[in-house]
Amino acid sequence: MPRPIEALIHTEALAHNLVRARQMAPDAKVWAVVKADAYGHRIEHAFEGLRGADGFALLDLAEAEQLRRLGWRGPILLLEGCFDARDLEVCSRLNLWHAVHDENQIDWLAAHKTTWPHHVFLKMNSGLNRLGFQPAAYRSAWLRLSGLTQVDEISLMTHFAEADGPRGVDAQLAAFDAVTHDLPGERSLCNSAATLRESPTRPQVRGDWVRPGIMLYGASPDHPEHGIAHWGLQPAMTLRSKLIATQALAAGDAVGYGGAFKAGEAMRIGVVACGYADGYPRSAPTGTPVLAGGVRTRLVGRVSMDMVTVDLTGLPDAGPGTEVTLWGVGPGGAVLPIDEVAHHAGTVGYELMCAVAPRVPVRQVP
């Protein structure tokens, strides 16, 4: 028999979360962001749940090709644009829309020989200071693109840095609007945080296209301020395994490498077939929540390569074969949000999703 660990991808949860994005951004079209192999969910498993989107946004040409092979004929947006002039040939062949954030990308377009003009998303650096033209250079870039026969349509785009926090989006929105207010073209500004927190009441923020990512996969972009229950989201991934052994501890007995946890009294623990080689965070400390048989309990001791140990106090029926939910949906519908696990481990749900190791079998379920 194979090792009992597996990741389940919940099709209905993905579809539900996509509906929530539409509800939070009325009248806007929705890019389903599937970069990083659909945030670790695998594009081939996530596609069915997200195919109700108006388009898919990603980074890699290989992932765009995969979507076309899966039968998607609608828009696909390369969020970082082309990395080489030769990529434009693939964009023409696959009918990809692509971001333009740098003068080099405009140069490549100007030299590109094509009979099919490109749809581009001109990106402004409105304050995140990663990709994009500075506001003072944005209109010049727009004018260059608008003069190219290789360009058919120019949409306008920026990306918010602090939509998930108290500073919000106002400063970046003002910078964007000051430059683009009289330029034609559709607008795309909102990530998950802005889609949830800003777009329901602010049409100028939601624009024409929103770009939800993490919310589609059932994590909250502003945890711990708000959890997924607050936003009406459902976990799209369950990482689960089973107990493979139990141990009876006396008071003072240590658990795992380094003896980081010592029993304060007699107790029973369970050994779970899951470790950092599966993508479970090694930084997760004693007290990190898990579900054993659908009942919430806690991690004890250090995470090792292939195993973690959990507290079975109050769980007399738990033993080898009992299902353990590391995050997601457990027996009886019990839910352990990935954000809670990530918070204990000092990271974010995004990282845990993307870190699930190749050795973990992934299976699509309703």
Side-chain angles (χ1 to χ4, degrees):
M1 291 292 291
R3 204 160 156 263
I5 192 169
E6 63 177 348
L8 305 178
I9 308 303
H10 303 283
T11 301
E12 292 176 0
L14 288 163
H16 168 88
N17 296 338
L18 178 61
V19 169
R20 288 294 294 142
R22 290 199 182 281
Q23 291 170 340
M24 301 302 275
D27 304 321
K29 291 174 283 190
V30 178
W31 291 112
V33 180
V34 293
K35 63 180 181 175
D37 208 4
Y39 286 49
H41 291 63
R42 313 297 195 266
I43 285 175
E44 67 270 25
H45 297 307
F47 176 68
E48 187 62 33
L50 297 177
R51 68 186 307 161
D54 299 290
F56 287 90
L58 40 70
L59 304 185
D60 295 323
L61 292 173
E63 293 179 343
E65 289 184 304
Q66 184 178 9
L67 279 170
R68 292 298 189 218
R69 287 196 301 271
L70 288 168
W72 180 251
R73 295 294 175 259
I76 298 176
L77 173 63
L78 298 178
L79 288 167
E80 294 181 3
C82 296
F83 300 103
D84 185 275
R86 292 168 294 182
D87 294 345
L88 289 168
E89 298 293 341
V90 183
C91 291
S92 294
R93 176 168 56 84
L94 296 179
N95 189 24
L96 307 181
W97 301 358
H98 50 99
V100 171
H101 60 79
D102 179 82
E103 289 285 352
N104 286 329
Q105 293 174 324
I106 301 180
D107 293 339
W108 297 339
L109 273 165
H112 179 52
K113 292 179 173 58
T114 180
T115 56
W116 299 100
H118 290 232
H119 186 154
V120 301
F121 276 62
L122 181 60
K123 187 163 190 176
M124 180 188 293
N125 174 13
S126 60
L128 182 58
N129 289 316
R130 296 192 316 192
L131 301 180
F133 290 90
Q134 292 289 337
Y138 192 80
R139 292 181 74 93
S140 294
W142 186 91
L143 287 169
R144 278 198 71 195
L145 286 170
S146 66
L148 297 180
T149 58
Q150 294 89 341
V151 174
D152 177 32
E153 187 171 345
I154 306 172
S155 296
L156 314 177
M157 180 169 67
T158 194
H159 193 62
F160 292 129
E162 299 182 66
D164 57 344
R167 291 184 61 181
V169 304
D170 288 348
Q172 286 187 256
L173 180 63
F176 184 79
D177 284 346
V179 175
T180 65
H181 65 94
D182 61 345
L183 293 179
E186 292 185 323
R187 271 75 169 154
S188 180
L189 297 88
C190 283
N191 54 8
S192 287
T195 299
L196 292 170
R197 293 167 65 105
E198 303 282 352
S199 67
T201 58
R202 302 179 70 181
Q204 72 275 31
V205 177
R206 67 175 173 261
D208 301 287
W209 288 87
V210 294
R211 305 190 304 272
I214 194 67
M215 67 172 289
L216 298 178
Y217 304 101
S220 172
D222 61 355
H223 186 271
E225 181 181 353
H226 298 115
I228 58 172
H230 175 85
W231 296 121
L233 304 173
Q234 298 176 2
M237 176 192 287
T238 294
L239 182 65
R240 70 181 187 181
S241 188
K242 292 181 180 180
L243 294 179
I244 57 174
T246 62
Q247 296 288 342
L249 305 183
D253 282 352
V255 177
Y257 291 120
F261 174 81
K262 290 184 172 57
E265 57 187 3
M267 64 181 295
R268 198 166 65 102
I269 63 168
V271 181
V272 185
C274 176
Y276 60 76
D278 300 298
Y280 193 83
R282 186 178 182 276
S283 57
T286 292
T288 300
V290 298
L291 304 177
V295 179
R296 185 174 286 242
T297 183
R298 60 176 181 147
L299 205 71
V300 294
R302 289 183 182 170
V303 176
S304 43
M305 182 180 290
D306 308 303
M307 290 173 277
V308 296
T309 46
V310 299
D311 187 354
L312 297 181
T313 301
L315 297 170
D317 296 329
T322 295
E323 182 174 322
V324 174
T325 308
L326 288 310
W327 61 69
V329 183
V335 173
L336 176 56
I338 195 171
D339 297 315
E340 289 190 39
V341 179
H343 185 68
H344 277 78
T347 185
V348 290
Y350 306 69
E351 183 177 5
L352 299 192
M353 293 176 185
C354 294
V356 173
R359 77 174 186 174
V360 176
V362 181
R363 182 161 59 91
Q364 181 183 343
V365 296

